Amino acid sequence: MNKPLRSFFYRRNNMLLLTAISAALLLLLSFIGADVKAETSDSSDSSTQHAVVTQTTSTELSAPKHVESRITNHEHQGTSEHDNQQGFHTAAEDMSCNLPLWTGLPFAGILLSIALLPLFAPHFWHRHFPKVSLGWALAFAIPFIIVYKGLAVYSILHIYLIDYIPFIILLWGLYTVSGGILIRGSLVGTPWLNLRLLIVGTILASWMGTTGASMLLIRPILRANAFRKTKMHIIIFFIFLVSNVGGSLTPLGDPPLFLGFLHGVPFFWTFNIFPEFALVAVILLAVFYVFDTFLYKREGVEPPVEDCETCDRFPIRLEGVHNFLFLGGILGFVLMSGTWKPGHILVYGVHLGVQNVVRDLGIVFMGILSMKTTHVKIRKDNEFSWFPIQEVAYLFAGIFMCIIPMLAILHAGSEGSMAFIINIVKEPYHFFWITGILSSFLDNAPTYLTFFNLALGMLSLTEQQITQILTGMSHVMGDQFVAYLKGISTGAVFFGAMTYIGNAPNFMVRSIAEESGIKMPSFFGYMIWSGIILLPVFLIVTLVFF
């Protein structure tokens, strides 16, 4: 290989570009193959159908021919928006059943980029991570749109309007409002104080959400431990407990439980998984206290003198207390979106609930009020900056794009490429582990809903029946469904702690900690911590409860 060519390949930017282009070409071939497979099943003249797809020159937004006809049929029956939306829904169902697993290549690529580039190319990563995220997103989106046209646009709009934008708005609102609450006083990061802060955060998480509790307490725990030499483990256990396990007891705690509430699970039913929650929380808190005490004694570092003088009294005071009203407002808007159903609007076939639009606008309004009414000095003393939320917004914009085929395949159930996983789910502990493992890498809300519906189908139950079962009505399948639902609920919540992307606040907490100067483990490094600590705990939960 000559020198100029070798130099081209050795440049990181060019290597990333080549990787993205290769992924896009592979996906294009894959999508076309999936498209042809679907056409073959819809028509005996597969060669003619293939020619129609590959030679089309239409510039209009349209689905592939084998699904476009279904949309057209609905439009002939009536030109209402409902018919159009139903056509897209039917077409999306067909697509989900025909996508191969390797359409998830860009998703794997963006995860590996998050995991490896900060280790091997840190300067490049910190300067260009938005471009890396965009590159992987385009590597998926371009071939997806080329082959599936209007259906691809529908799928992309759906995940951004229904999932990504509300996700970022909620994170932004909680981050902004909690950044206006400052805890002053002699918080000294002894093992005993750290334990108490983790207990408080774990309890709060079920009532103000794992994201709200995490954003409220991460800065105080960072300031309290500023004098410590070793503090990475504190943040890791904080993610385990406050950002995940603590959200187990109410639908406000974690998105999958809120989704269950919307599908007929009574609001307070989740208290039935209190024993599982308590076992995991107690074990993790005990392990943390022993580990933190050992490290604290080994460090031999004394807190600053001015803090030592008040170590026993902990005279704590809050500033920016009015922001708790805005936190309450955010939680109120979230709860409202699950109980008020005024109707919907359609955006290119995507059902956009009016209540969800009101919720998102309300959260933005709460954030603006917080910024306008909170003194600048409070945010400055809180070491508040916009970088963590910007990092999460950029990276998850790419993740949500690349996750589309994985969620579609999961949604297809036993008809899709993950049938080999779905078909082995028979027992409650299967629901716990498989829901959990998939929730560690995919969005835990649709994962929860997939296995929730699988349980309904296996037991031939309706949502109305499960509401009756969970409120005490006797049913021959009642006990079995309750066992399944406990496995699904605990798996979706607990396993969110296994990776940085397993739950919304995980990556945010990591970003805030790194901005404060704490060297956090890499993506795979964190998984080593979570594997060593959490998997044995989950095994105990399995043996005791499932």
Side-chain angles (χ1 to χ4, degrees), residues 169-178 180 322-323 325-327 329-330 333 359-374 379 384 386:
I169 287 176
L170 178 60
L171 278 186
W172 176 86
L174 292 170
Y175 180 77
T176 302
V177 172
S178 63
H322 67 285
N323 282 286
L325 295 176
F326 304 139
L327 280 177
I330 290 174
F333 279 116
R359 175 199 63 207
D360 295 343
L361 292 175
I363 292 172
V364 170
F365 183 59
M366 293 294 103
I368 293 173
L369 285 178
S370 175
M371 289 191 292
K372 294 294 185 182
T373 60
T374 304
R379 294 192 184 274
F384 181 89
W386 293 112

Side-chain angles (χ1 to χ4, degrees), residues 207 248-254 256-273 335 338-339 448 452 456 462-473 481-482 485 489:
W207 299 100
S248 305
L249 297 183
T250 75
L252 293 175
D254 219 26
L257 301 185
F258 188 73
L259 200 57
F261 169 63
L262 298 182
H263 285 266
V265 178
F267 187 89
F268 290 105
W269 178 86
T270 42
F271 273 98
N272 285 277
I273 62 176
L335 191 57
T339 55
Y448 172 99
F452 179 86
L456 292 183
T462 64
E463 288 186 5
Q464 183 179 5
Q465 287 177 312
I466 66 105
T467 302
Q468 296 170 346
I469 289 171
L470 298 178
T471 51
M473 183 174 291
F481 178 76
V482 169
L485 186 57
S489 302

Side-chain angles (χ1 to χ4, degrees), residues 24 81 99 106 137 175 208 233 236 239 276 314 320 342 366 439 451 462 533 544:
E81 290 181 332
L99 288 175
Y175 180 77
M208 60 187 302
H233 67 285
I236 290 174
I239 293 174
E276 291 87 343
F314 299 104
M366 293 294 103
S439 294
F451 288 96
T462 64
I533 297 170
V544 173

Side-chain angles (χ1 to χ4, degrees), residues 107 159 163-164 167 255-256 399-400 403 407 410 435 438-449 501-503:
F107 180 62
I159 199 162
D163 295 312
Y164 175 74
F167 164 80
I399 289 172
F400 272 78
I403 209 173
L407 293 181
L410 183 63
T435 302
L438 291 175
S439 294
S440 299
F441 296 95
L442 305 178
D443 190 337
N444 60 2
T447 302
Y448 172 99
L449 190 59
I501 65 168
N503 199 22

Side-chain angles (χ1 to χ4, degrees), residues 234-245:
I234 300 171
I235 309 305
I236 290 174
F237 276 90
F238 184 94
I239 293 174
F240 291 169
L241 287 157
V242 182
S243 301
N244 289 279
V245 174

